[in-house]
Every structure is written in structure tokens, then in C-alpha cells.
PDB file of all heavy atoms in Angstrom:
ATOM      1  N   GLY A   3      68.508 -40.205 -34.114  1.00  0.00           N
ATOM      2  CA  GLY A   3      68.254 -39.657 -35.448  1.00  0.00           C
ATOM      3  C   GLY A   3      69.461 -39.766 -36.325  1.00  0.00           C
ATOM      4  O   GLY A   3      70.492 -40.351 -35.931  1.00  0.00           O
ATOM      5  N   ARG A   4      69.387 -39.178 -37.469  1.00  0.00           N
ATOM      6  CA  ARG A   4      70.514 -39.264 -38.457  1.00  0.00           C
ATOM      7  C   ARG A   4      71.757 -38.489 -37.953  1.00  0.00           C
ATOM      8  O   ARG A   4      72.867 -38.781 -38.342  1.00  0.00           O
ATOM      9  CB  ARG A   4      70.067 -38.830 -39.822  1.00  0.00           C
ATOM     10  CG  ARG A   4      69.640 -37.372 -39.875  1.00  0.00           C
ATOM     11  CD  ARG A   4      69.367 -36.804 -41.257  1.00  0.00           C
ATOM     12  NE  ARG A   4      69.201 -35.367 -41.104  1.00  0.00           N
ATOM     13  CZ  ARG A   4      68.009 -34.792 -40.996  1.00  0.00           C
ATOM     14  NH1 ARG A   4      66.899 -35.516 -40.972  1.00  0.00           N
ATOM     15  NH2 ARG A   4      67.907 -33.481 -40.834  1.00  0.00           N
ATOM     16  N   ASP A   5      71.514 -37.439 -37.191  1.00  0.00           N
ATOM     17  CA  ASP A   5      72.636 -36.696 -36.608  1.00  0.00           C
ATOM     18  C   ASP A   5      72.102 -35.989 -35.352  1.00  0.00           C
ATOM     19  O   ASP A   5      70.983 -36.268 -34.891  1.00  0.00           O
ATOM     20  CB  ASP A   5      73.214 -35.695 -37.643  1.00  0.00           C
ATOM     21  CG  ASP A   5      72.243 -34.619 -38.035  1.00  0.00           C
ATOM     22  OD1 ASP A   5      71.200 -34.409 -37.362  1.00  0.00           O
ATOM     23  OD2 ASP A   5      72.527 -33.900 -39.047  1.00  0.00           O
ATOM     24  N   GLY A   6      72.905 -35.082 -34.819  1.00  0.00           N
ATOM     25  CA  GLY A   6      72.545 -34.414 -33.565  1.00  0.00           C
ATOM     26  C   GLY A   6      71.406 -33.394 -33.692  1.00  0.00           C
ATOM     27  O   GLY A   6      71.048 -32.769 -32.731  1.00  0.00           O
ATOM     28  N   CYS A   7      70.850 -33.251 -34.912  1.00  0.00           N
ATOM     29  CA  CYS A   7      69.758 -32.326 -35.131  1.00  0.00           C
ATOM     30  C   CYS A   7      68.424 -33.033 -35.382  1.00  0.00           C
ATOM     31  O   CYS A   7      67.462 -32.415 -35.853  1.00  0.00           O
ATOM     32  CB  CYS A   7      70.081 -31.386 -36.300  1.00  0.00           C
ATOM     33  SG  CYS A   7      71.367 -30.184 -35.885  1.00  0.00           S
ATOM     34  N   ALA A   8      68.339 -34.314 -35.069  1.00  0.00           N
ATOM     35  CA  ALA A   8      67.093 -35.065 -35.218  1.00  0.00           C
ATOM     36  C   ALA A   8      67.067 -36.218 -34.212  1.00  0.00           C
ATOM     37  O   ALA A   8      68.105 -36.793 -33.901  1.00  0.00           O
ATOM     38  CB  ALA A   8      66.992 -35.608 -36.627  1.00  0.00           C
ATOM     39  N   GLY A   9      65.881 -36.483 -33.684  1.00  0.00           N
ATOM     40  CA  GLY A   9      65.754 -37.659 -32.833  1.00  0.00           C
ATOM     41  C   GLY A   9      64.875 -37.418 -31.616  1.00  0.00           C
ATOM     42  O   GLY A   9      64.098 -36.444 -31.557  1.00  0.00           O
ATOM     43  N   ARG A  10      64.953 -38.337 -30.692  1.00  0.00           N
ATOM     44  CA  ARG A  10      64.173 -38.248 -29.459  1.00  0.00           C
ATOM     45  C   ARG A  10      64.816 -37.191 -28.556  1.00  0.00           C
ATOM     46  O   ARG A  10      66.028 -37.142 -28.383  1.00  0.00           O
ATOM     47  CB  ARG A  10      64.157 -39.608 -28.746  1.00  0.00           C
ATOM     48  CG  ARG A  10      63.260 -39.628 -27.510  1.00  0.00           C
ATOM     49  CD  ARG A  10      63.152 -41.041 -26.893  1.00  0.00           C
ATOM     50  NE  ARG A  10      64.466 -41.618 -26.667  1.00  0.00           N
ATOM     51  CZ  ARG A  10      64.886 -42.716 -27.266  1.00  0.00           C
ATOM     52  NH1 ARG A  10      64.120 -43.377 -28.091  1.00  0.00           N
ATOM     53  NH2 ARG A  10      66.110 -43.186 -27.023  1.00  0.00           N
ATOM     54  N   VAL A  11      63.982 -36.337 -27.945  1.00  0.00           N
ATOM     55  CA  VAL A  11      64.496 -35.267 -27.066  1.00  0.00           C
ATOM     56  C   VAL A  11      64.861 -35.831 -25.692  1.00  0.00           C
ATOM     57  O   VAL A  11      64.011 -36.470 -25.066  1.00  0.00           O
ATOM     58  CB  VAL A  11      63.447 -34.153 -26.894  1.00  0.00           C
ATOM     59  CG1 VAL A  11      64.005 -33.011 -26.017  1.00  0.00           C
ATOM     60  CG2 VAL A  11      62.978 -33.611 -28.263  1.00  0.00           C
ATOM     61  N   GLU A  12      66.102 -35.615 -25.282  1.00  0.00           N
ATOM     62  CA  GLU A  12      66.543 -36.097 -23.973  1.00  0.00           C
ATOM     63  C   GLU A  12      67.177 -34.909 -23.222  1.00  0.00           C
ATOM     64  O   GLU A  12      67.880 -34.079 -23.833  1.00  0.00           O
ATOM     65  CB  GLU A  12      67.525 -37.254 -24.127  1.00  0.00           C
ATOM     66  CG  GLU A  12      66.883 -38.482 -24.781  1.00  0.00           C
ATOM     67  CD  GLU A  12      67.818 -39.650 -25.011  1.00  0.00           C
ATOM     68  OE1 GLU A  12      69.032 -39.502 -24.771  1.00  0.00           O
ATOM     69  OE2 GLU A  12      67.311 -40.726 -25.412  1.00  0.00           O
ATOM     70  N   VAL A  13      66.899 -34.847 -21.935  1.00  0.00           N
ATOM     71  CA  VAL A  13      67.410 -33.735 -21.120  1.00  0.00           C
ATOM     72  C   VAL A  13      68.262 -34.289 -19.980  1.00  0.00           C
ATOM     73  O   VAL A  13      67.876 -35.285 -19.331  1.00  0.00           O
ATOM     74  CB  VAL A  13      66.245 -32.868 -20.537  1.00  0.00           C
ATOM     75  CG1 VAL A  13      65.228 -33.706 -19.759  1.00  0.00           C
ATOM     76  CG2 VAL A  13      66.773 -31.714 -19.658  1.00  0.00           C
ATOM     77  N   PHE A  14      69.428 -33.646 -19.753  1.00  0.00           N
ATOM     78  CA  PHE A  14      70.258 -34.011 -18.618  1.00  0.00           C
ATOM     79  C   PHE A  14      69.902 -33.030 -17.485  1.00  0.00           C
ATOM     80  O   PHE A  14      70.011 -31.795 -17.643  1.00  0.00           O
ATOM     81  CB  PHE A  14      71.751 -33.861 -18.977  1.00  0.00           C
ATOM     82  CG  PHE A  14      72.662 -34.261 -17.848  1.00  0.00           C
ATOM     83  CD1 PHE A  14      72.906 -35.626 -17.600  1.00  0.00           C
ATOM     84  CD2 PHE A  14      73.291 -33.333 -17.067  1.00  0.00           C
ATOM     85  CE1 PHE A  14      73.770 -36.019 -16.577  1.00  0.00           C
ATOM     86  CE2 PHE A  14      74.096 -33.716 -16.021  1.00  0.00           C
ATOM     87  CZ  PHE A  14      74.368 -35.056 -15.755  1.00  0.00           C
ATOM     88  N   PHE A  15      69.407 -33.567 -16.361  1.00  0.00           N
ATOM     89  CA  PHE A  15      68.940 -32.740 -15.282  1.00  0.00           C
ATOM     90  C   PHE A  15      69.041 -33.559 -13.983  1.00  0.00           C
ATOM     91  O   PHE A  15      68.745 -34.732 -13.967  1.00  0.00           O
ATOM     92  CB  PHE A  15      67.474 -32.393 -15.545  1.00  0.00           C
ATOM     93  CG  PHE A  15      66.810 -31.529 -14.480  1.00  0.00           C
ATOM     94  CD1 PHE A  15      67.286 -30.273 -14.204  1.00  0.00           C
ATOM     95  CD2 PHE A  15      65.741 -31.985 -13.795  1.00  0.00           C
ATOM     96  CE1 PHE A  15      66.727 -29.481 -13.253  1.00  0.00           C
ATOM     97  CE2 PHE A  15      65.112 -31.205 -12.816  1.00  0.00           C
ATOM     98  CZ  PHE A  15      65.631 -29.932 -12.535  1.00  0.00           C
ATOM     99  N   ARG A  16      69.551 -32.890 -12.941  1.00  0.00           N
ATOM    100  CA  ARG A  16      69.767 -33.535 -11.651  1.00  0.00           C
ATOM    101  C   ARG A  16      70.574 -34.827 -11.751  1.00  0.00           C
ATOM    102  O   ARG A  16      70.290 -35.841 -11.115  1.00  0.00           O
ATOM    103  CB  ARG A  16      68.441 -33.813 -10.944  1.00  0.00           C
ATOM    104  CG  ARG A  16      67.757 -32.461 -10.576  1.00  0.00           C
ATOM    105  CD  ARG A  16      66.483 -32.588  -9.771  1.00  0.00           C
ATOM    106  NE  ARG A  16      65.955 -31.210  -9.624  1.00  0.00           N
ATOM    107  CZ  ARG A  16      64.706 -30.900  -9.355  1.00  0.00           C
ATOM    108  NH1 ARG A  16      63.835 -31.887  -9.135  1.00  0.00           N
ATOM    109  NH2 ARG A  16      64.307 -29.667  -9.219  1.00  0.00           N
ATOM    110  N   GLY A  17      71.579 -34.743 -12.610  1.00  0.00           N
ATOM    111  CA  GLY A  17      72.577 -35.838 -12.671  1.00  0.00           C
ATOM    112  C   GLY A  17      72.213 -37.014 -13.551  1.00  0.00           C
ATOM    113  O   GLY A  17      72.916 -38.010 -13.552  1.00  0.00           O
ATOM    114  N   THR A  18      71.094 -36.955 -14.301  1.00  0.00           N
ATOM    115  CA  THR A  18      70.691 -38.120 -15.096  1.00  0.00           C
ATOM    116  C   THR A  18      70.021 -37.676 -16.384  1.00  0.00           C
ATOM    117  O   THR A  18      69.478 -36.567 -16.473  1.00  0.00           O
ATOM    118  CB  THR A  18      69.778 -39.025 -14.277  1.00  0.00           C
ATOM    119  OG1 THR A  18      69.469 -40.183 -15.034  1.00  0.00           O
ATOM    120  CG2 THR A  18      68.494 -38.374 -13.873  1.00  0.00           C
ATOM    121  N   TRP A  19      70.035 -38.546 -17.409  1.00  0.00           N
ATOM    122  CA  TRP A  19      69.310 -38.240 -18.664  1.00  0.00           C
ATOM    123  C   TRP A  19      67.872 -38.718 -18.571  1.00  0.00           C
ATOM    124  O   TRP A  19      67.612 -39.804 -18.054  1.00  0.00           O
ATOM    125  CB  TRP A  19      70.017 -38.920 -19.820  1.00  0.00           C
ATOM    126  CG  TRP A  19      71.290 -38.244 -20.228  1.00  0.00           C
ATOM    127  CD1 TRP A  19      72.593 -38.554 -19.848  1.00  0.00           C
ATOM    128  CD2 TRP A  19      71.413 -37.040 -21.056  1.00  0.00           C
ATOM    129  NE1 TRP A  19      73.462 -37.677 -20.378  1.00  0.00           N
ATOM    130  CE2 TRP A  19      72.817 -36.763 -21.135  1.00  0.00           C
ATOM    131  CE3 TRP A  19      70.501 -36.256 -21.719  1.00  0.00           C
ATOM    132  CZ2 TRP A  19      73.295 -35.667 -21.857  1.00  0.00           C
ATOM    133  CZ3 TRP A  19      71.006 -35.196 -22.452  1.00  0.00           C
ATOM    134  CH2 TRP A  19      72.377 -34.896 -22.522  1.00  0.00           C
ATOM    135  N   SER A  20      66.933 -37.922 -19.033  1.00  0.00           N
ATOM    136  CA  SER A  20      65.528 -38.243 -19.004  1.00  0.00           C
ATOM    137  C   SER A  20      64.921 -37.914 -20.352  1.00  0.00           C
ATOM    138  O   SER A  20      65.511 -37.151 -21.118  1.00  0.00           O
ATOM    139  CB  SER A  20      64.804 -37.418 -17.908  1.00  0.00           C
ATOM    140  OG  SER A  20      65.296 -37.742 -16.635  1.00  0.00           O
ATOM    141  N   THR A  21      63.717 -38.451 -20.626  1.00  0.00           N
ATOM    142  CA  THR A  21      62.994 -38.079 -21.837  1.00  0.00           C
ATOM    143  C   THR A  21      62.021 -36.936 -21.560  1.00  0.00           C
ATOM    144  O   THR A  21      61.799 -36.571 -20.398  1.00  0.00           O
ATOM    145  CB  THR A  21      62.207 -39.295 -22.426  1.00  0.00           C
ATOM    146  OG1 THR A  21      61.528 -39.951 -21.394  1.00  0.00           O
ATOM    147  CG2 THR A  21      63.134 -40.260 -23.108  1.00  0.00           C
ATOM    148  N   VAL A  22      61.491 -36.364 -22.632  1.00  0.00           N
ATOM    149  CA  VAL A  22      60.570 -35.215 -22.534  1.00  0.00           C
ATOM    150  C   VAL A  22      59.208 -35.703 -23.045  1.00  0.00           C
ATOM    151  O   VAL A  22      59.121 -36.346 -24.092  1.00  0.00           O
ATOM    152  CB  VAL A  22      61.098 -34.015 -23.362  1.00  0.00           C
ATOM    153  CG1 VAL A  22      60.079 -32.918 -23.454  1.00  0.00           C
ATOM    154  CG2 VAL A  22      62.435 -33.546 -22.759  1.00  0.00           C
ATOM    155  N   CYS A  23      58.137 -35.367 -22.313  1.00  0.00           N
ATOM    156  CA  CYS A  23      56.801 -35.811 -22.698  1.00  0.00           C
ATOM    157  C   CYS A  23      56.289 -34.936 -23.804  1.00  0.00           C
ATOM    158  O   CYS A  23      56.481 -33.715 -23.805  1.00  0.00           O
ATOM    159  CB  CYS A  23      55.855 -35.699 -21.517  1.00  0.00           C
ATOM    160  SG  CYS A  23      56.431 -36.681 -20.097  1.00  0.00           S
ATOM    161  N   ASN A  24      55.511 -35.543 -24.758  1.00  0.00           N
ATOM    162  CA  ASN A  24      55.000 -34.728 -25.891  1.00  0.00           C
ATOM    163  C   ASN A  24      53.663 -34.106 -25.599  1.00  0.00           C
ATOM    164  O   ASN A  24      53.041 -33.535 -26.507  1.00  0.00           O
ATOM    165  CB  ASN A  24      54.988 -35.550 -27.172  1.00  0.00           C
ATOM    166  CG  ASN A  24      53.913 -36.587 -27.237  1.00  0.00           C
ATOM    167  OD1 ASN A  24      53.240 -36.868 -26.257  1.00  0.00           O
ATOM    168  ND2 ASN A  24      53.744 -37.210 -28.394  1.00  0.00           N
ATOM    169  N   SER A  25      53.151 -34.238 -24.363  1.00  0.00           N
ATOM    170  CA  SER A  25      51.807 -33.706 -24.040  1.00  0.00           C
ATOM    171  C   SER A  25      51.752 -32.187 -24.253  1.00  0.00           C
ATOM    172  O   SER A  25      50.667 -31.646 -24.532  1.00  0.00           O
ATOM    173  CB  SER A  25      51.416 -34.090 -22.613  1.00  0.00           C
ATOM    174  OG  SER A  25      52.477 -33.841 -21.741  1.00  0.00           O
ATOM    175  N   THR A  26      52.825 -31.496 -24.066  1.00  0.00           N
ATOM    176  CA  THR A  26      52.859 -30.045 -24.319  1.00  0.00           C
ATOM    177  C   THR A  26      53.984 -29.663 -25.290  1.00  0.00           C
ATOM    178  O   THR A  26      54.559 -28.598 -25.235  1.00  0.00           O
ATOM    179  CB  THR A  26      53.086 -29.249 -22.998  1.00  0.00           C
ATOM    180  OG1 THR A  26      54.274 -29.736 -22.350  1.00  0.00           O
ATOM    181  CG2 THR A  26      51.916 -29.453 -22.036  1.00  0.00           C
ATOM    182  N   TRP A  27      54.325 -30.607 -26.167  1.00  0.00           N
ATOM    183  CA  TRP A  27      55.445 -30.403 -27.085  1.00  0.00           C
ATOM    184  C   TRP A  27      54.921 -29.926 -28.418  1.00  0.00           C
ATOM    185  O   TRP A  27      54.505 -30.693 -29.291  1.00  0.00           O
ATOM    186  CB  TRP A  27      56.241 -31.716 -27.238  1.00  0.00           C
ATOM    187  CG  TRP A  27      57.506 -31.588 -28.022  1.00  0.00           C
ATOM    188  CD1 TRP A  27      57.726 -32.051 -29.275  1.00  0.00           C
ATOM    189  CD2 TRP A  27      58.732 -30.942 -27.606  1.00  0.00           C
ATOM    190  NE1 TRP A  27      59.026 -31.742 -29.678  1.00  0.00           N
ATOM    191  CE2 TRP A  27      59.644 -31.055 -28.672  1.00  0.00           C
ATOM    192  CE3 TRP A  27      59.120 -30.294 -26.439  1.00  0.00           C
ATOM    193  CZ2 TRP A  27      60.959 -30.540 -28.598  1.00  0.00           C
ATOM    194  CZ3 TRP A  27      60.391 -29.760 -26.364  1.00  0.00           C
ATOM    195  CH2 TRP A  27      61.296 -29.893 -27.444  1.00  0.00           C
TER     196      TRP A  27
END
């Protein structure tokens, strides 16, 4: 996104970065 307050949601968990599904977002 344009800065750290916009963009694709990514989570660091169990040692790696992953994306978040929008099925319940």
C-alpha cells in the first residue's frame, strides 16, 4: 500500500510470513 496503514494483510507466525484469507475478513 501507500504506507504501513494500507495494503495486503500479512501475519508473521511460526517463523514465516503468511497471507490472511478474506473469507471471514
Side-chain angles (χ1 to χ4, degrees):
R4 61 171 190 266
D5 65 15
C7 288
R10 185 175 51 243
V11 181
E12 297 177 354
V13 55
F14 184 78
F15 180 61
R16 295 187 184 158
T18 183
W19 286 97
S20 298
T21 45
V22 173
C23 303
N24 73 350
S25 47
T26 55
W27 187 252

